[in-house]
């Protein structure tokens, strides 16, 4: 079995807890700075060293380096500092928040990387749990929060939380969108780094084609852009072997290392090319990244389950929608030929892999959704709109409503649970079983006998539901088989049947709890049991 819903949710929520800290009442303490530094030490060696051949900023910073890289602000110093600087990147942290401690070394490393390149941005930090005046002026509520201040005016920081994501974002927002490579060492570093880089090769850094490149570089604030005007460097970067500049490509991590741009050199085409290629807009889920994806601060996940054939025409739709909902929804794709990965998840939705399926899960509240319409651009867009606005109805899995009883036992599925079980004109006895529980076969047999026994009493319904294929928000059972009695006058609290059951005990249980008159045929029936 894969994870149950409950396990999945618990796992995810515990992962989410470490993703962000929220403001809680804090007893101001001047010691907390020390606590943070202790945390820093603990977290420092978590990150694997990244390739940084041309940089002297090591992957792991000492506390002294961190201290030097960041200006430490308080309520007394913050506003005058902001007013005096053209560009400040501010980290609002809380000393008790582990996530703050994880970010701090990356933030400091970003500061050092930019200092090293002579880029004039001040990196500052403030304990926003203690310096509440500044925290309230700048709405520093969740921790950690990064703010960008231009001449004292705050702007939203929309970048990522690794050193490179931070530096790329800052470069773009202070008007240095492209780095010029001037040495083979620098070019080799770009080729070998483990992150995406857009490379432009131009005869001269001027003219309309170059301007188009520059405009895109300015807008695209997640990806680093570099440029060369030297054939030798271009060769190091595999650029322009057969072609004359201008030439553009994306260099990224394996397996798709190198994507050359084939379009015409205008802003729109370049922009589109980079959007489509810089990183998977739709991320392919595998056994390694699964947990990391669950921990994403984006809690709404929409997943396409498809095989190679159907992804060919469905992925382009998915890309288009993914672009529109970037930052609100994480778009994932699971290859249904990997059954070990796809089956347990599809089972949660009562779906199978015979056709492409689109599902959604909200990790904030554990609700799940299924796109029941045909997969089209319109239906996907509507699905995502409804998810984001909270108007989509959650999905509960259900088999089709059966047309008739089985051996005098009413078959309940997700879709008829309300009309059968919650019918206030009837007492209802419900067996909850699953297709994998060992003792359920015996229980099913007993319930058939009970169904026959009571078949003449129209006020009493004997029913069963396969909980592995059907769900209802009111059905909360995690022990199989379970026997529940829903009195006609009180549907909200079903009475649990005996754990040590026999056919006879169950009949007794029904007699005890029936609220509508059962004219008894007790002596006649005893022989039957
Ligand atoms: C910030 O101030 C500097 C110098 O005082 C000025 O050159 C720059 O244009 C200002 N930036 C903005 C966005 O107001
Ligand atoms: C879905 O597509 C199938 C075949 O393309 C079509 O027969 C069916 O009517 C469609 N269903 C809806 C709800 O549009
Ligand atoms: C419904 O049943 C529950 C549990 O058996 C009981 O506590 C509650 O008082 C009942 N409510 C009514 C209105 O009878």
């Amino acid at each position: 079995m894969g994870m149950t819903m409950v396990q999945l949710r618990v796992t995810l929520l515990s992962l989410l807890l470490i993703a962000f800290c929220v403001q809680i009442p804090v007893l101001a303490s001047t010691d907390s700075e020390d606590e943070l530094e202790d945390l820093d030490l603990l977290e420092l060696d978590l990150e694997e060293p990244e390739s940084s051949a041309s940089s002297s900023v090591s992957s792991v910073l000492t506390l002294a380096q961190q201290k030097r890289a960041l200006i430490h602000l308080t309520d007394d110093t913050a506003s005058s500092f902001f007013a005096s600087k053209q560009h400040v990147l501010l980290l609002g942290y809380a000393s008790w928040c582990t996530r703050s401690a994880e970010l701090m070394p990356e933030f400091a490393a970003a500061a050092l990387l930019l200092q090293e390149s002579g880029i004039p941005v001040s990196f500052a930090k403030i304990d926003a749990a203690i310096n509440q005046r500044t925290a309230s002026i700048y709405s520093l509520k969740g921790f950690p929060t990064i703010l960008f201040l231009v001449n004292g005016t705050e702007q939203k920081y929309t970048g990522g939380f690794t050193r490179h994501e931070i530096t790329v974002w800052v470069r773009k927002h202070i008007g240095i969108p492209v780095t010029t490579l001037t040495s083979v060492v620098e070019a080799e570093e770009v080729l070998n780094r483990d992150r995406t880089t857009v490379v432009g090769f131009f005869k001269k850094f001027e003219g309309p084609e170059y301007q188009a490149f520059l405009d895109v570089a300015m807008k695209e604030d997640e990806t680093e852009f570099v440029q060369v005007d030297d054939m030798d460097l271009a060769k190091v970067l595999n650029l322009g072997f057969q072609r004359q500049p201008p030439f553009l490509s994306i260099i990224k991590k394996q397996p798709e290392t190198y994507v050359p741009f084939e379009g015409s050199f205008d802003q729109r085409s370049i922009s589109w090319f980079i959007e489509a290629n810089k990183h998977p807009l739709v991320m392919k889920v595998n056994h390694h990244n699964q947990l990391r994806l669950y921990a994403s601060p984006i809690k709404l996940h929409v997943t396409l389950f498809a095989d190679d054939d159907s992804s060919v025409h469905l992925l382009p739709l998915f890309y288009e929608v993914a672009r529109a909902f970037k930052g609100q929804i994480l778009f994932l794709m699971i290859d249904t030929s990997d059954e070990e990965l796809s089956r347990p998840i599809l089972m949660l939705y009562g779906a199978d892999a015979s056709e492409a399926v689109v599902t959604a899960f909200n990790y904030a509240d554990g609700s799940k959704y299924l796109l029941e319409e045909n997969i089209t651009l319109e239906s996907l867009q509507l699905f995502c709109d409804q998810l984001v606005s909270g108007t989509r109805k959650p999905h509960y899995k259900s088999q089709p409503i059966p047309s008739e009883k089985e051996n005098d036992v009413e078959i309940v599925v997700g879709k008829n649970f309300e009309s059968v079980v919650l019918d206030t004109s009837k007492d209802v006895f419900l067996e909850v079983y699953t297709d994998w529980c060992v003792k359920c076969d015996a229980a099913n047999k007993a319930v058939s006998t009970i169904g026959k026994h009571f078949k003449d009493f129209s006020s009493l319904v004997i029913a069963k539901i396969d909980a592995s294929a059907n769900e209802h928000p009111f059905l909360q059972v995690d022990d199989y088989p379970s026997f529940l009695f829903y009195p006609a006058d009180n549907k909200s609290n079903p009475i649990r049947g005996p754990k040590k059951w026999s056919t006879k005990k169950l009949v007794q249980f029904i007699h005890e709890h029936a609220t509508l008159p059962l004219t008894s045929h007790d002596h006649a029936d005893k022989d039957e049991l």
Side-chain angles (χ1 to χ4, degrees):
M1 283 304 297
M3 278 185 180
T4 67
M5 277 287 287
V6 175
Q7 286 169 327
L8 190 65
R9 228 184 115 189
V10 169
T11 312
L12 299 175
L13 289 183
S14 58
L15 285 168
L16 282 172
L17 282 181
I18 53 169
F20 283 101
C21 305
V22 288
Q23 175 70 285
I24 56 167
V26 168
L27 299 171
S29 147
T30 44
D31 296 340
S32 47
E33 191 58 22
D34 298 336
E35 285 168 32
L36 177 68
E37 286 175 355
D38 290 341
L39 280 171
D40 286 352
L41 269 178
L42 286 176
E43 302 296 340
L44 273 177
D45 50 11
L46 274 181
E47 291 280 313
E48 281 294 305
E50 292 181 43
S51 58
S52 47
S54 68
S55 167
S56 63
V57 179
S58 62
S59 59
V60 175
L61 302 187
T62 63
L63 283 179
Q65 281 177 310
Q66 285 187 50
K67 271 211 157 120
R68 246 180 289 127
L70 303 177
I71 295 148
H72 185 189
L73 297 174
T74 64
D75 273 349
D76 293 337
T77 54
S79 28
S80 59
F81 180 79
F82 297 152
S84 71
K85 300 286 179 190
Q86 192 173 350
H87 296 120
V88 179
L89 202 67
L90 175 71
L91 172 65
Y93 66 92
S95 56
W96 41 265
C97 168
T98 317
R99 185 70 176 76
S100 294
E102 284 169 15
L103 177 55
M104 191 69 77
E106 286 300 299
F107 192 73
L112 290 176
L113 284 169
L114 290 176
Q115 270 169 28
E116 192 186 60
S117 325
I119 290 176
V121 181
S122 307
F123 274 62
K125 63 172 179 174
I126 189 162
D127 185 333
I130 290 175
N131 295 283
Q132 296 191 342
R133 183 152 41 93
T134 310
S136 95
I137 295 172
Y138 296 100
S139 303
L140 299 168
K141 282 191 205 113
F143 308 113
T145 299
I146 296 178
L147 278 188
F148 183 53
L149 292 114
V150 180
N151 294 344
T153 304
E154 70 178 281
Q155 292 185 5
K156 211 168 163 186
Y157 174 77
T158 53
F161 299 102
T162 66
R163 63 188 66 189
H164 295 297
E165 287 168 336
I166 297 169
T167 54
V168 166
W169 192 93
V170 167
R171 280 170 176 276
K172 306 285 171 133
H173 287 258
I174 63 172
I176 310 175
V178 185
T179 310
T180 305
L181 303 182
T182 53
S183 71
V184 170
V185 175
E186 285 172 348
E188 280 171 348
E189 189 271 326
V190 167
L191 201 61
N192 296 323
R193 62 172 55 158
D194 61 1
R195 57 187 194 277
T196 302
T197 308
V198 176
V199 187
F201 174 29
F202 299 91
K203 255 197 199 105
K204 284 192 171 138
F205 300 137
E206 60 185 33
E209 288 152 336
Y210 179 67
Q211 192 56 48
F213 171 75
L214 207 55
D215 289 344
V216 175
M218 191 72 100
K219 282 197 194 128
E220 164 52 71
D221 62 13
E222 287 181 345
T223 314
E224 191 164 347
F225 281 54
V226 299
Q227 60 191 17
V228 294
D229 61 355
D230 177 315
M231 185 53 100
D232 292 336
L233 297 187
K235 277 187 181 150
V236 173
L237 293 160
N238 301 324
L239 297 177
F241 284 137
Q242 288 104 14
R243 300 174 53 158
Q244 288 300 304
F247 191 75
L248 185 138
S249 84
I250 288 184
I251 294 178
K252 53 184 170 180
K253 246 175 120 173
Q254 294 291 337
E256 194 189 22
T257 318
Y258 175 82
V259 191
F261 174 61
E262 313 276 359
S264 75
F265 250 81
D266 58 67
Q267 205 182 319
R268 208 164 147 266
S269 319
I270 296 175
S271 198
W272 192 89
F273 167 73
I274 291 167
E275 267 302 312
N277 292 290
K278 66 175 177 182
H279 69 103
L281 262 177
V282 177
M283 285 194 270
K284 206 162 175 190
V285 180
N286 56 46
H287 297 274
H288 303 292
N289 66 10
Q290 209 176 2
L291 276 183
R292 192 154 41 89
L293 294 174
Y294 292 156
S296 161
I298 301 177
K299 296 184 178 67
L300 263 175
H301 294 188
V302 169
T303 307
L304 170 67
F305 292 83
D307 57 17
D308 281 350
D309 279 353
S310 39
S311 15
V312 171
H313 61 274
L314 291 178
L315 263 181
L317 308 185
F318 231 60
Y319 277 116
E320 186 157 349
V321 180
R323 259 188 285 278
F325 288 90
K326 208 161 119 186
Q328 296 175 290
I329 298 177
L330 211 56
F331 288 85
L332 310 174
M333 140 124 207
I334 292 182
D335 183 349
T336 46
S337 56
D338 183 347
E339 292 196 4
E340 198 192 325
L341 186 64
S342 62
R343 285 238 334 252
I345 308 176
L346 281 171
M347 264 174 58
L348 291 176
Y349 295 85
D352 65 44
S354 58
E355 279 179 71
V357 175
V358 175
T359 67
F361 197 89
N362 185 344
Y363 287 100
D365 60 11
S367 53
K368 59 188 206 283
Y369 306 84
L370 183 70
L371 180 70
E372 284 169 88
E373 300 84 347
N374 286 345
I375 306 172
T376 63
L377 187 58
E378 291 71 29
S379 70
L380 272 174
Q381 272 163 342
L382 183 65
F383 185 59
C384 294
D385 269 334
Q386 291 174 331
L387 287 170
V388 167
S389 63
T391 52
R392 182 83 188 185
K393 271 175 88 177
H395 170 72
Y396 294 97
K397 60 185 175 184
S398 176
Q399 293 170 311
I401 297 179
S403 52
E404 49 188 47
K405 287 188 179 183
E406 185 183 299
N407 301 333
D408 304 313
V409 176
E410 194 84 51
I411 306 299
V412 176
V413 296
K415 286 177 187 158
N416 68 359
F417 187 90
E418 268 162 63
S419 64
V420 176
V421 178
L422 304 184
D423 177 354
T424 53
S425 69
K426 307 249 160 109
D427 285 334
V428 178
F429 170 83
L430 181 68
E431 179 212 355
V432 188
Y433 69 97
T434 68
D435 61 359
W436 43 263
C437 107
V438 182
K439 292 182 181 154
C440 286
D441 273 349
N444 281 338
K445 279 204 188 97
V447 170
S448 297
T449 311
I450 295 168
K452 200 195 268 172
H453 178 76
F454 287 111
K455 71 172 190 291
D456 297 328
F457 305 117
S458 61
S459 66
L460 175 67
V461 174
I462 306 299
K464 64 178 181 180
I465 184 167
D466 177 355
S468 41
N470 298 284
E471 292 171 321
H472 189 276
F474 290 167
L475 184 68
Q476 304 287 348
V477 171
D478 35 31
D479 199 14
Y480 308 102
S482 277
F483 305 99
L484 300 173
F485 195 85
Y486 292 79
D489 60 354
N490 190 353
K491 294 290 181 182
S492 55
N493 291 293
I495 304 155
R496 302 229 154 209
K499 276 222 179 321
K500 290 200 160 183
W501 54 272
S502 64
T503 308
K504 212 164 180 177
K505 275 193 188 156
L506 291 175
V507 171
Q508 259 167 22
F509 167 71
I510 292 169
H511 276 293
E512 263 165 48
H513 296 286
T515 59
L516 300 172
L518 284 174
T519 7
S520 173
H521 295 271
D522 271 349
H523 14 273
D525 295 327
K526 269 202 180 111
D527 301 336
E528 258 176 56
L529 296 176

